[in-house]
Amino acid sequence: MSVMLTTLQHWHGFFQAGTPWADGPVGATQCPIIPGQSFLYDFKTPGQAGTFWYHIPAPSAGPVPTSDATLINGKGRYPSGPTTPLAVVSVIQGLRYRFRLVSISCDPNYVFSIDGHTMTIIEVDGINVQPLEVDSIQIFAGQRYSFVLKANQRIDNYWIRAKPNFSRSTTFDGGLNSAILRYLLAPHRDPTTTQTPNSNPMLETSLRPLKNPAAPGVPTVGAADVNINLAIALDFVKFQFTVNGATFIPPTAPVLLQLLSGAKTAQELLPPGSVYLLPPNKVIEVSIPGGTIGAPHPFHLHGHAFSVVRSAGSDVYNFANPVQRDVVSTGGLASDNVTIRFKTDNPGPWIFHCHIDWHLELGLAIVFAEDVPSVANMNPPSELYTISQLD
């Protein structure tokens, strides 16, 4: 990868087992690739299949901006703007279709629905789930769903709707926040369908993994090998987020290079207070109290999928068959306490961050330095040192 601007690439959802230097995030595994230099992302994806995406960090936009429009497959309309063509998904009556729904949003979450149709969810963040029929899906930044749609309605055009939780407009007036599901032989025009109340919305607590459903470890709250609570706050003076009192400011030398250079303790690692050392082959439990400013925060863990043993909006802990994913909403209520579990079976410095890009820019992240001795013995490509200017 060779670029004209400083950049990097993250391969969202791939675990990068044995190749943490190919994960991408600045400050955790590499420095930005500067103009005139290149970096080859060379990695394998054993045992992974599903819906993934790759992206670069969003550019800084100052204080948290408000989106002007929702784009679906690159097309959309904005308030008081022209009636531009919308994205069209073409179907043939009587067939079934697999849709891959990906939120590449920088901030808003969306409630997604298709007039007159239900959706059967079969995959969440690269993990197959037991089929679950719903009529709407709330999707947060970085999340992915596969669903099966039956084209079983009369030949016509139907609105595809993605209602943002905030934007310049959260309505569907004039085709805002919309795309079109078009049956073969239907006229080429905007739909006239109306939205009926969503009576069967997706609940995260209803999602069940298809295989290996149990969360790792003893099925009791706080009984993991390592238990971590992450308290999120906003420093209004500095206008920076903190996690347990620390703001993630990308260090000059990414955490991976610090580990390869011999740093072994949290006190030695930068940024101060933002790096958590995790031992190998242990069960980790992380809890995130809700109701914090800017919530709900969609938190994404690199290097792993995790079991969501307590979801936002629920006070029930499920260790038997909770959904497994890599992005979870922390919830917007003070009563929320989203709790996840994973096993440390993938050495590397894995960033855990809010996937609202503006919040990440303001420091809402930590790094789990997993199995430090194994990382210190890794042999990364020489280009990692070159782009980091540490050779």
Side-chain angles (χ1 to χ4, degrees):
M1 180 176 183
S2 182
V3 294
M4 297 298 293
L5 298 173
T6 298
T7 190
L8 53 79
Q9 199 79 32
H10 170 52
W11 314 91
H12 187 115
F14 290 120
F15 298 152
Q16 300 294 352
T19 54
W21 48 83
D23 190 44
V26 167
T29 60
Q30 71 174 92
C31 293
I33 305 166
I34 64 175
Q37 293 185 336
S38 64
F39 184 77
L40 175 64
Y41 290 94
D42 187 4
F43 57 92
K44 293 178 170 45
T45 60
Q48 289 194 263
T51 305
F52 307 91
W53 62 299
Y54 59 92
H55 61 90
I56 62 174
S60 178
V64 179
T66 300
S67 63
D68 292 322
T70 296
L71 302 182
I72 299 178
N73 288 353
K75 296 182 178 181
R77 297 172 185 169
Y78 58 91
S80 302
T83 307
T84 55
L86 296 172
V88 174
V89 179
S90 300
V91 297
I92 298 174
Q93 189 181 49
L95 299 184
R96 296 185 304 159
Y97 294 84
R98 179 176 182 161
F99 283 64
R100 297 182 189 265
L101 181 64
V102 183
S103 175
I104 62 173
S105 166
C106 289
D107 192 343
N109 66 76
Y110 296 88
V111 175
F112 181 89
S113 62
I114 302 175
D115 287 1
H117 296 76
T118 59
M119 301 167 283
T120 300
I121 299 172
I122 59 172
E123 176 235 335
V124 176
D125 291 1
I127 308 291
N128 291 332
V129 297
Q130 297 178 16
L132 178 68
E133 185 174 273
V134 300
D135 60 13
S136 66
I137 298 172
Q138 185 177 22
I139 185 169
F140 292 84
Q143 292 185 331
R144 295 93 66 206
Y145 293 92
S146 283
F147 65 84
V148 175
L149 178 137
K150 295 178 181 178
N152 57 5
Q153 300 300 304
R154 64 183 177 86
I155 293 175
D156 206 345
N157 297 291
Y158 297 84
W159 283 118
I160 298 173
R161 303 176 187 268
K163 182 179 176 62
N165 66 317
F166 76 93
S167 181
R168 280 184 58 195
S169 175
T170 60
T171 74
F172 302 110
D173 297 343
L176 297 174
N177 304 309
S178 300
I180 299 169
L181 181 75
R182 176 167 293 153
Y183 279 67
L184 181 66
L185 303 181
H188 286 213
R189 64 188 182 199
D190 279 2
T192 58
T193 55
T194 56
Q195 185 182 33
T196 57
N198 296 322
S199 59
N200 188 28
M202 183 206 74
L203 299 177
E204 188 174 67
T205 52
S206 297
L207 295 165
R208 300 282 182 262
L210 193 61
K211 296 181 179 179
N212 304 316
V218 177
T220 303
V221 178
D225 297 309
V226 179
N227 301 280
I228 300 172
N229 184 71
L230 301 179
I232 298 170
L234 181 66
D235 183 328
F236 286 93
V237 175
K238 298 180 179 178
F239 199 61
Q240 291 177 329
F241 278 103
T242 63
V243 179
N244 292 346
T247 297
F248 183 81
I249 299 173
T252 303
V255 176
L256 176 58
L257 288 184
Q258 295 177 55
L259 296 174
L260 291 169
S261 299
K264 296 178 181 179
T265 68
Q267 291 72 29
E268 295 176 88
L269 291 163
L270 301 175
S274 292
V275 183
Y276 295 69
L277 270 60
L278 300 182
N281 301 311
K282 300 296 183 181
V283 175
I284 313 301
E285 181 175 297
V286 180
S287 57
I288 311 173
T292 54
I293 190 164
H297 297 286
F299 259 77
H300 172 45
L301 177 60
H302 293 217
H304 291 275
F306 47 74
S307 296
V308 186
V309 298
R310 177 174 169 177
S311 293
S314 173
D315 60 2
V316 175
Y317 289 86
N318 174 13
F319 295 94
N321 54 6
V323 67
Q324 298 166 10
R325 62 184 324 154
D326 59 49
V327 182
V328 68
S329 166
T330 63
L333 303 176
S335 58
D336 283 323
N337 191 34
V338 168
T339 305
I340 66 172
R341 278 197 179 180
F342 63 96
K343 189 173 182 179
T344 50
D345 53 8
N346 187 19
W350 306 118
I351 195 168
F352 186 46
H353 66 93
C354 180
H355 217 287
I356 295 174
D357 287 330
W358 326 123
H359 294 180
L360 177 57
E361 282 286 312
L362 298 177
L364 190 44
I366 63 170
V367 171
F368 290 124
E370 179 178 336
D371 189 358
V372 170
S374 292
V375 176
N377 289 323
M378 288 181 171
N379 185 27
S382 59
E383 292 90 341
L384 182 69
Y385 297 94
T386 302
I387 64 168
S388 300
Q389 299 181 333
L390 296 176
D391 62 331

